[in-house]
Amino acid sequence: MRINRKKLVVAMLDADLNQKQLAEIVGVSRATINNVSCGRSCSDKTAYGIAKALNVKVEQIME
C-alpha cells in the first residue's frame, strides 16, 4: 500500500507528531516511517496503524 507523502506530512503536523513519535505509536521503526514518507510502499497493517495513530481514515492518506 502506498501512502501519499504530502498527505502524511499534513496529517502528522495536524496530530503534532514527528516520525519518531509516530513510529512508537504504530509499533514500527522510525526508518519504516521515513521510508513511507519518502514514497515507498508499506504493508496494509502499517498503513492502517499510521492512519489510526493520526486519527484519519486510511483512504485520506493513500495515493
Side-chain angles (χ1 to χ4, degrees):
M1 186 172 285
R2 186 155 287 174
I3 293 177
N4 183 291
R5 297 174 355 182
K6 291 180 183 179
K7 292 177 183 178
L8 176 61
V9 170
V10 170
M12 287 174 62
L13 288 172
D14 288 344
D16 196 28
L17 293 174
N18 61 35
Q19 287 186 359
K20 182 180 178 186
Q21 293 166 327
L22 180 59
E24 288 173 359
I25 294 168
V26 177
V28 296
S29 68
R30 190 204 53 79
T32 298
I33 299 298
N34 186 57
N35 288 339
V36 170
S37 68
C38 287
R40 294 200 175 140
S41 60
C42 63
S43 70
D44 289 353
K45 180 180 177 182
T46 300
Y48 281 99
I50 290 170
K52 183 177 179 181
L54 296 173
N55 202 27
V56 297
K57 293 182 181 177
V58 74
E59 294 83 13
Q60 291 177 277
I61 58 173
M62 286 177 51
E63 285 191 341

